[in-house]
Amino acid sequence: MAKNVLASSGMSDDELQNLFEKVKDEMGVQNEDLDDIFQVAMLDRAKLFPNQSKQSAEKYLRKWINGYIQSTENLPSSHIGEAKKTCSDPALTKIVKTACGLDEDEIEEKENAHNLFMAAENIQGELLEEYIAENVEDYGWLWCSGNALRAVDFCKRDGSALLQVKNKDNTENSSGSAIRNGTKIEKWFRLKTKKKKGIPYPSYEWNKLNDIINRDLEEGQTPCEMSEEDYQNFLDRVATENPDIITRH
């Protein structure tokens, strides 16, 4: 099982800080956001630095720094969709084709549509974080991109608040939830399902996220007002500028 190298290294905080600065210098990295995220992680080394396979503290930090830098330089909105790595199940195709009375062209069209929706679902979680990052930076929040903090997607610069973001209220298993036990990590999800006369419909939770971001507004500062409409406008812009972000194959 992967362990938290920095928590078990026996190094003092000062020693680890010096090693962090040394590795950054060797890598030619200067990034204020990364520096602040490191300080947040140092508030609780055992719980906030991600677990990794056994390695030296120096190799851990090199990989940790590189993961953050690479993720910030290659935003989800710039990704190119990858082809499916597994084949479709012919048995499922047979069931749908026969039950719905479809011909070969129709079943192929439906399978392509399914692949597109799956591709969109796979990238949407990252796009959601990118959208939020665009909106919360001015409020003292940092995007902990590249798995910079364990089970944390956004943090306040001073470490006073930690936030995990999910797209839906049913997208986390028990083991994922257990990671937050004993921490002050808050969880927010964008979408939950409600029912009206037995018919399910989407209910959005943007107001709850705005409340979290707006807790420490400075005097005269305009409140953060993220919304589903604005988020979908962001997605429309991303998909228009980069239609290859998903693929049907």
Side-chain angles (χ1 to χ4, degrees):
M1 183 177 179
K3 297 291 183 67
N4 187 321
V5 175
L6 302 188
S8 59
S9 66
M11 299 177 69
S12 68
D13 286 355
D14 286 342
E15 289 172 331
L16 191 54
Q17 178 73 48
N18 290 336
L19 180 59
F20 174 63
E21 298 296 340
K22 171 181 174 291
V23 173
K24 275 199 312 168
D25 287 345
E26 290 176 354
M27 296 176 67
V29 171
Q30 293 183 347
N31 189 295
E32 182 180 346
D33 290 350
L34 178 64
D35 291 345
D36 286 343
I37 292 172
F38 179 81
Q39 294 304 324
V40 172
M42 289 290 286
L43 295 173
D44 191 342
R45 280 201 238 170
K47 293 180 179 177
L48 292 179
F49 278 112
N51 291 339
Q52 289 187 11
S53 300
K54 188 175 181 180
Q55 56 193 289
S56 70
E58 182 171 342
K59 286 184 178 180
Y60 178 102
L61 284 172
R62 192 174 298 276
K63 185 175 181 180
W64 185 79
I65 292 168
N66 187 63
Y68 177 81
I69 296 300
Q70 288 297 316
S71 66
T72 56
E73 292 179 349
N74 299 279
L75 294 174
S77 56
S78 67
H79 289 182
I80 301 300
E82 295 184 358
K84 283 177 59 179
K85 296 181 180 179
T86 59
C87 65
S88 299
D89 188 338
L92 299 180
T93 301
K94 174 62 71 175
I95 293 171
V96 174
K97 180 181 178 182
T98 302
C100 298
L102 304 176
D103 59 30
E104 288 296 332
D105 289 340
E106 290 171 327
I107 194 64
E108 182 179 359
E109 181 180 352
K110 289 189 179 296
E111 188 169 356
N112 286 338
H114 172 73
N115 290 340
L116 284 171
F117 275 91
M118 291 297 294
E121 187 173 34
N122 289 338
I123 191 65
Q124 193 202 175
E126 296 178 57
L127 292 173
L128 176 61
E129 291 184 24
E130 185 177 338
Y131 166 76
I132 294 171
E134 286 187 0
N135 284 274
V136 302
E137 182 179 3
D138 291 340
Y139 299 89
W141 285 82
L142 295 171
W143 184 14
C144 305
S145 185
N147 193 31
L149 296 183
R150 188 174 182 226
V152 175
D153 299 308
F154 294 89
C155 69
K156 290 281 284 190
R157 282 191 182 274
D158 60 3
S160 61
L162 307 171
L163 179 65
Q164 185 182 84
V165 167
K166 296 291 182 183
N167 186 52
K168 290 184 178 180
D169 60 345
N170 64 346
T171 53
E172 182 180 45
N173 56 31
S174 58
S175 61
S177 177
I179 292 175
R180 294 195 308 277
N181 291 342
T183 74
K184 60 179 182 180
I185 302 171
E186 297 181 77
K187 177 186 173 183
W188 173 82
F189 54 85
R190 163 184 162 262
L191 174 66
K192 69 178 180 180
T193 300
K194 289 187 175 181
K195 288 187 178 181
K196 186 173 183 179
K197 296 182 179 179
I199 300 175
Y201 69 94
S203 176
Y204 304 106
E205 301 288 297
W206 290 106
N207 286 341
K208 292 182 179 179
L209 179 57
N210 289 328
D211 287 344
I212 293 172
I213 303 304
N214 292 326
R215 281 176 187 162
D216 303 311
L217 281 181
E218 297 178 2
E219 186 175 352
Q221 188 175 24
T222 303
C224 184
E225 295 182 348
M226 290 175 282
S227 67
E228 183 63 19
E229 180 181 7
D230 191 50
Y231 173 54
Q232 293 205 21
N233 286 339
F234 164 80
L235 295 177
D236 186 62
R237 171 167 57 85
V238 167
T240 299
E241 294 175 355
N242 179 19
D244 292 329
I245 197 167
I246 58 173
T247 177
R248 71 182 64 195
H249 301 297

